[in-house]
Amino acid sequence: CVGSQVSATGTSSSGGLTATKVSITPPPSTHVSGVVTAVDGVITPGTCGTAGAAGDFTLAATVDGTSTSVTVYVTTTTTFKDPAVTSPSFADVCIGATVKVAGALTAGTLTAKTVAVTPPAGSRVAGAVVAVNGVDTPGTCGTAGAAGKFTLANVKNPNYTARVEVTSATTFKDTAVTSPSFADVCVGLDVSAVGTSSSHLLLAGTVTITPPPMSETGGEVTAVDGVSKPGTCGTAGAAGRFAITSWLGANSFWGKTVHVAVTATTTFKDAAVANPSFADVCIGRDATVVGTLSSGVLIATQVTIGPLVVIG
């Protein structure tokens, strides 16, 4: 082949050689390592090769101290190595992966004999959840059992956000929940995630949710579900919101308007009512609230209607 090194033995005739023996010298094995920047001509992050197929990929590599781009061809006889995969193949060569290639360099292209994929190093990020599946509304959560993504404001640098992807293989930890899941990852909560980084995305192996501290406040109800008309009340069994002018609790609440969210798990107490509910939260009445503060909203665990009392 053009570019191959050969030696020939035979008889000379008319300025030519009639060969009786041709010895082909295999090209020396070349070793190159670098980061995959394209697979089969595609540069979209996350693009991978196809198992069992021939193809090519491009490496951003350093050769003899010089940064260069190397095109690598894989064939059906190329062998693959990846300690993180049981049966590695071309499908494990993805954009952003670090690989080492051994093969024959001919006419400026490297035909791979072996391709070794280096598993990405484990990474950890931590911070407050600022969006779940692209939604930044306070209280928005993931869906149990579903794959998805969430964004963290990095605890070490709030100006830097980290994107985290969860899959069916991700495990969740939350000391406040019996069977934690992606549904417990909500905007406003503090979360840490451990996994592998790929194309500026952390693929989470474990997600740990830090339960928010409990807060308490109390005061006169001034609005219910955005309505400030006297006598307006909530709806029994429904989720909703109300506002109080706080005269009880932490100094951060004192004298301020506190917005309270009522959920399906909020419990109600009212000494004057047999089965109290959100319907007993009315403008002009006093209420004491215990819950968790998330993005400026107090998510109510318990609401006590009536004269202000210190619960915690």
Side-chain angles (χ1 to χ4, degrees):
C1 300
V2 175
S4 298
Q5 294 184 4
V6 300
S7 62
T9 303
T11 57
S12 297
S13 175
S14 301
L17 181 69
T18 302
T20 57
K21 179 181 179 181
V22 176
S23 298
I24 303 166
T25 303
S29 183
T30 300
H31 295 77
V32 177
S33 63
V35 176
V36 179
T37 58
V39 177
D40 290 331
V42 180
I43 61 173
T44 306
T47 300
C48 304
T50 302
D56 64 84
F57 61 92
T58 305
L59 281 183
T62 300
V63 178
D64 296 328
T66 302
S67 296
T68 187
S69 179
V70 178
T71 299
V72 179
Y73 287 93
V74 300
T75 69
T76 55
T77 62
T78 301
T79 59
F80 295 86
K81 299 178 181 180
D82 186 340
V85 179
T86 304
S87 300
S89 69
F90 188 26
D92 300 298
V93 177
C94 305
I95 292 177
T98 299
V99 302
K100 296 179 180 179
V101 182
L105 186 63
T106 305
T109 60
L110 184 62
T111 301
K113 181 178 180 181
T114 62
V115 176
V117 181
T118 302
S123 300
R124 180 183 185 275
V125 294
V129 179
V130 295
V132 176
N133 290 328
V135 180
D136 60 3
T137 305
T140 300
C141 305
T143 302
K149 296 182 177 69
F150 63 91
T151 305
L152 291 178
N154 193 286
V155 68
K156 293 183 179 180
N157 183 3
N159 294 321
Y160 170 76
T161 57
R163 295 188 303 137
V164 181
E165 181 174 4
V166 302
T167 69
S168 57
T170 303
T171 59
F172 296 85
K173 297 180 180 180
D174 186 340
T175 56
V177 179
T178 304
S179 300
S181 69
F182 189 28
D184 300 297
V185 177
C186 305
V187 173
L189 293 183
D190 288 332
V191 167
S192 64
V194 177
T196 55
S197 295
S198 176
S199 300
H200 307 293
L201 184 70
L202 182 73
L203 305 178
T206 304
V207 173
T208 302
I209 301 129
T210 302
M214 299 297 287
S215 298
E216 178 183 2
T217 189
E220 181 181 343
V221 178
T222 57
V224 177
D225 289 332
V227 180
S228 57
K229 183 179 179 180
T232 300
C233 304
T235 302
R241 296 196 177 197
F242 65 94
I244 59 174
T245 299
S246 176
W247 298 111
L248 176 73
N251 290 336
S252 58
F253 292 139
W254 196 266
K256 297 181 179 179
T257 297
V258 179
H259 297 277
V260 181
V262 172
T263 70
T265 61
T266 302
T267 60
F268 296 86
K269 292 186 177 182
D270 187 339
V273 179
N275 296 300
S277 70
F278 188 27
D280 300 296
V281 176
C282 304
I283 292 176
R285 296 201 68 183
D286 289 334
T288 306
V289 183
V290 174
T292 55
L293 195 62
S294 176
S295 300
V297 177
L298 188 60
I299 312 297
T301 301
Q302 178 180 303
V303 177
T304 301
I305 305 151
L308 301 184
V309 294
V310 177
I311 297 176

